[in-house]
Amino acid sequence: MLKLGIIGTNWITEQFIQAALSTKKYQLTSVYSRTEEKAQQVATKYEAGEVFTSLADFFAQGSFDVVYIASPNSLHFEQAKAALEAGKNVIVEKPAFSNPTEMATITALLAKKPQLFLFEGARHVYEPNFQITKQAIQTLDQVQGATLVYMKYSSRYDQVLAGKTPNIFSPKFSGGSLQDLGVYVVYDAVSWFGVPDDVHYFANLLPTGVDGRGTAILTYPGFNVTLIFGKNATSYLPSEIYGLHETLVLAPNAADLAQVTRYQPDGKTVELGEPADENPMTHEAEAFYSMMTTQDHQMANSALKTSQAVNQVLFKLRQSAGIEFAADQGN
Ligand SMILES: NC(=O)c1ccc[n+]([C@@H]2O[C@H](COP(=O)([O-])OP(=O)(O)OC[C@H]3O[C@@H](n4cnc5c(N)ncnc54)[C@H](OP(=O)(O)O)[C@@H]3O)[C@@H](O)[C@H]2O)c1
């Protein structure tokens, strides 16, 4: 049983706690929140014994083995750094870090503490249909390209329309649609096709200073991958990966891989996917537990390499659209 600590008390933290507890391999022991009341609320609901409102005390006195960090994006870096320095394993929500400088600092710190693990919570990568898609791509006669879509209207965009800047649409908190939803399709592209030769992002920029939606083109030898993502509109377009004679269709989108369908040369279809779990975070909770308890650093390093590549691609895309974060200062 791994002892779990959490940072952040929004719905996603509860979804992760529920996934972790459902595996029966984690026990929630320690809750950090800026407010005592919120920390106590989560602790009571999930029977955690330790409540903290000071991050320093949380890391110094918390009895947890691994911390799940689900704070605004720009805070991930300092919190993950503090966790590693305190000898804790880390699961940090996507996008793990704001830029390659932060990523390099964390990987250098990890190299000095080789017994510790740091995972990016890219939940869809650990779902069976992600691997099923990867394997199916390898059997396509010749990849001709792909269109990968993940665009969902965010209720927090109502605040932007009202002239406000919620965290997720703020450059101070490393927000925007590329960071929030684009990261899923960048993970798809990097995991399925490798690191692209070149990238370009055509962004719809908001008055808050980040992107509301956009289209990115990733170029590979012999084909392009088009990424369509956003938080100020909703797309019902499935995603497609094109072979010469066959096509894979991912539905409802390239991040929630409920259905993976292969269209054969004769137009007939074969369903490849497995039914998805009710809680999409269960598979990552299982995978992280397995790597930590079997000391599978090889698999963890491979996941970290993908995180680094995704971090680089996100940064280049952002640069191509002229989007700057407070966290980039000094880069
Ligand atoms: N994997 C997924 O499916 C998924 C889904 C949604 C979000 N996420 C990721 O989860 C992370 C959190 O996203 P979110 O939308 O929940 O963010 P959020 O609502 O802006 O903040 C999350 C938590 O961080 C704390 N917080 C908020 N503002 C803060 C501030 N100014 N300073 C310090 N702490 C602050 C709050 O906890 P306290 O008030 O308790 O301190 C809050 O509950 C992001 O990295 C996001 O990308 C992942």
Side-chain angles (χ1 to χ4, degrees), residues 7-13 15 32-35 38-39 68-73 75-76 79 93-95 121 123 156 167-168 172-173 179-180 184 281 284:
I7 296 178
T9 53
N10 199 9
W11 65 270
I12 193 61
T13 300
Q15 187 164 302
Y32 164 79
S33 171
R34 292 167 303 165
T35 49
K38 275 201 254 176
Y68 169 73
I69 299 174
S71 54
N73 300 337
L75 306 184
H76 294 178
Q79 292 171 347
E93 261 305 338
K94 57 79 204 166
R123 52 126 184 108
R156 297 185 206 185
N167 296 348
I168 198 56
K172 179 178 163 205
F173 289 106
Q179 299 297 113
D180 195 53
Y184 288 92
M281 303 179 96
E284 66 172 359

Side-chain angles (χ1 to χ4, degrees), residues 2-3 59 64-67 79-91 105-120 288 291-304:
L2 282 176
K3 292 181 185 162
F59 287 123
F64 55 94
D65 306 304
V66 55
V67 60
Q79 292 171 347
K81 189 162 161 281
L84 293 173
E85 282 165 349
K88 306 292 189 185
N89 297 297
V90 175
I91 300 166
T105 305
I106 292 294
T107 46
L109 185 55
L110 259 178
K112 286 190 198 149
K113 304 206 171 221
Q115 77 285 8
L116 292 180
F117 290 86
L118 179 135
F119 307 106
E120 182 171 19
F288 300 151
M291 284 185 263
M292 284 186 275
T293 54
T294 62
Q295 289 290 305
D296 191 346
H297 285 282
Q298 202 179 344
M299 193 168 165
N301 283 338
S302 158
L304 188 64

Side-chain angles (χ1 to χ4, degrees), residues 239-266:
S239 294
E240 295 184 320
I241 299 154
Y242 317 106
L244 201 54
H245 301 294
E246 293 186 297
T247 298
L248 300 172
V249 178
L250 314 176
N253 56 61
D256 304 314
L257 302 167
Q259 260 186 312
V260 182
T261 309
R262 184 180 198 116
Y263 279 72
Q264 297 175 330
D266 59 6

Side-chain angles (χ1 to χ4, degrees), residues 21-156:
L21 297 186
S22 76
T23 67
K24 305 204 182 310
K25 290 167 177 165
Y26 296 82
Q27 171 198 5
L28 183 67
T29 57
S30 323
V31 176
Y32 164 79
S33 171
R34 292 167 303 165
T35 49
E36 175 101 29
E37 194 191 342
K38 275 201 254 176
Q40 199 56 62
Q41 220 173 355
V42 177
T44 305
K45 187 166 172 188
Y46 297 101
E47 299 174 356
E50 300 170 349
V51 160
F52 298 92
T53 52
S54 147
L55 260 184
D57 292 349
F58 176 71
F59 287 123
Q61 296 159 24
S63 65
F64 55 94
D65 306 304
V66 55
V67 60
Y68 169 73
I69 299 174
S71 54
N73 300 337
S74 65
L75 306 184
H76 294 178
F77 171 67
E78 286 297 346
Q79 292 171 347
K81 189 162 161 281
L84 293 173
E85 282 165 349
K88 306 292 189 185
N89 297 297
V90 175
I91 300 166
V92 57
E93 261 305 338
K94 57 79 204 166
F97 304 113
S98 298
N99 53 50
T101 307
E102 288 188 356
M103 180 59 98
T105 305
I106 292 294
T107 46
L109 185 55
L110 259 178
K112 286 190 198 149
K113 304 206 171 221
Q115 77 285 8
L116 292 180
F117 290 86
L118 179 135
F119 307 106
E120 182 171 19
R123 52 126 184 108
H124 70 317
V125 169
Y126 296 93
E127 291 185 78
N129 286 349
F130 190 90
Q131 280 308 322
I132 288 172
T133 304
K134 184 170 181 167
Q135 282 155 14
I137 291 168
Q138 283 158 6
T139 67
L140 286 178
D141 35 8
Q142 209 180 310
V143 173
Q144 301 294 308
T147 306
L148 306 174
V149 185
Y150 194 31
M151 179 146 69
K152 273 188 185 171
Y153 187 86
S154 162
S155 56
R156 297 185 206 185

